[in-house]
Structure formats: structure tokens, C-alpha cells
Amino acid sequence: MRPVPVPVPARPYRLAALCGALLLVASCGWQSRADDGPLPGAPRGVTAEAGSATSVHVMWNAVPGEDIEGYEVYRGSTKVEEVPAAEHMVDVVRLKPATTYAFTVRARDTDGRLGPPSAQVRATTPATGPADRAAPTAPGGLRGRAVGSRAVQLSWSAAKDDRGVVSYDIHQGGTKIHSVGGNQTATVVTGLRPGTRYSFTVRARDAADNASPASPALRLTTPGRDDGRGTAPTGFRATSHRDASDGAYYIDLSWVPPRTDGVVTEYEVHLDGRAATSVVFGGDAPRERAEYSFYAGTEAGVRHRVRVRALLPDGTWGGFCEERTVMTGD
């Protein structure tokens, strides 16, 4: 049966037409946003370390992508810092002593769109005592070596302070590029250029934000060719096992993460010369030994070549580990 036409009064008709137009505009706007591509990813490997009684040093891994314009750092729900895409650290200052703070980081693309927040990290500023105007002594014995062509490993002797060292600041030339806790006397600086001469110094900082004199400068030159060994996972192992529940074979991998100036949370597994899968550990990324197992089929006696590389905190891929050969059912 055909429906019987019902007359529509003029006012409701105009309202319906207006609503239809608005729906069309909204639909077009939604389509336009969808065509812009996905939002930036959430920064990973976020860490927060007290730099003094009134400051916290926040670091994170770079979000991959050429359209990343910068990062926004939040203390709780309040935005406290903005940094450009080339930087992956910031000092949040003017904080209260003996207070715990929570921080998150969001990436912003060139269209001004914000990605989801990172995992939340916390840091507690130390308490302050009586007025402290005595700065720590300069760190001594700064030494280091290039590890590959894009990173250097640095170590130094602990500074002395009458009330304790809270953090160490690493400077490249006249620019602060990194900070570590006062109980740490070594770090790895990544994101360097091959065939380039660098000058590094270290300063100690106490709870009252007194900075020590700089250590003697250490000059290092990164090699002109990147063989990848310095940024590759080490201790790589590959075995296989058969799962009794489904009769399929799985390849079991384990490796030691490369030493970097941040947390490595993502790896790429290559199988038989091709990228097979990405492994993302999130906020609980292993620091001593990582493990991963993946499906390899139901046929025994199949030989595979496998290797792994890490996504470094500066957003670049590190070198591949030594390739291993594994056979299902072996």
C-alpha cells in the first residue's frame, strides 16, 4: 500500500529544511576532519624526576610523524608548558617543596589537533630545610664514548653537597639537553648527528636549586658512518615451541633493550627480511630483558630468520640486533 501524502505546514517545513541543511554541513565538516588523517599518538616513555625542591624534569619519547608541531605538558589538568616538536623534555618550575605532582604529555599536529594524553607519571619534590646558599661541588671525571654515530654514553664522579645532590644536568655546548636523578652518575644521549664533534659538561643541583660549577668539558666526535651497533638490542635469543592447546608453533624472542636517555617502549620485529609486527610495551616497558612470542603457523620444520630493532626516544629507529635463525619444532 502506498502511503497517503500528508500536507506539511509551512513553518515546520522551513524548520525541517533548516535542520537538513545543518545536518549536511555537520556531515561535511565531519568528513573533512576524517580526511585530515588520524590524530597524533600518545607520547610514550614519559618520566618525571625532581630537579630541585621547586622543579621537576619531564621527558618523553618523540611521537613519530612529520606533522607533529609540538607537545603540551600538563600538571594534573592544567597545561603548564609547550615545547616544539624537536624537543622532548622540559623543566616544570615554581612548584612547592615536599609535594607530589602528576604529569601527562600530549602531542599537537600542524593543524592544531591534540592527540590523547600520555600515561600519567608522578614525581615528588624534596623538602627544604634552613636557608641553603651553598652549591654542590662540580662533578668530576667526566668521560664517555660514542655508541654508533647517533649517541654517546657519558659517566662522571658524584658531586658533593652538604645536604645532598638532587639532580645532574647535562649540557651540550651551552644548552641543557638532559637531566638525571642525583643518585645517577651515567646516561646515554641520543639524537646526535653522524660525523659531528660535540662538547658536553655536567652540573649538579641541590634541593635549593643551587647549581654547581660545570665539570671540565668532554669533547667527542660521532663516527661518520652509522653501523647501528650502539642503538641495537643486545643478547638476542630466538627459540620456538608448540602450543598444546591449538597445535600451532610460536617463536619466542628475548633481548636486552639498548641503553638510551629515555625509556624504549616500542620495537619492530622483522621476519625473513620483512617487518612482521610491532611490539609496544607501554608504561611498564622492560629495562633489563624484554620478551615477546608470536604465532608462526602449524607446520613443523619451517626455518625463519628474525631480528629486532628499537624505536628510540628521539623518534628514530635504532640499529638491528644480530639476526637469528629458528626452526619450528626444533
Side-chain angles (χ1 to χ4, degrees), residues 53-132:
T54 58
S55 67
V56 168
H57 184 73
V58 182
M59 292 183 61
W60 57 91
N61 297 351
V63 173
E66 297 180 355
D67 61 342
I68 302 300
E69 183 180 57
Y71 299 93
E72 297 185 358
V73 180
Y74 292 79
R75 185 188 68 232
S77 59
T78 303
K79 184 173 72 172
V80 291
E81 297 286 350
E82 289 188 19
V83 299
E87 298 179 16
H88 317 125
M89 52 171 267
V90 72
D91 287 311
V92 181
V93 298
R94 296 187 293 276
L95 303 178
K96 295 180 180 179
T99 304
T100 298
Y101 292 95
F103 299 92
T104 54
V105 182
R106 301 178 73 177
R108 185 182 64 249
D109 65 16
T110 52
D111 291 326
R113 304 182 307 161
L114 285 172
S118 67
Q120 189 179 81
V121 295
R122 296 178 181 273
T124 301
T125 53
T128 57
D132 180 7

Side-chain angles (χ1 to χ4, degrees), residues 188-205:
V188 175
V189 178
T190 60
L192 305 179
R193 296 190 301 270
T196 304
R197 185 172 176 82
Y198 291 95
S199 177
F200 299 97
T201 55
V202 178
R203 293 176 181 264
R205 191 175 298 276

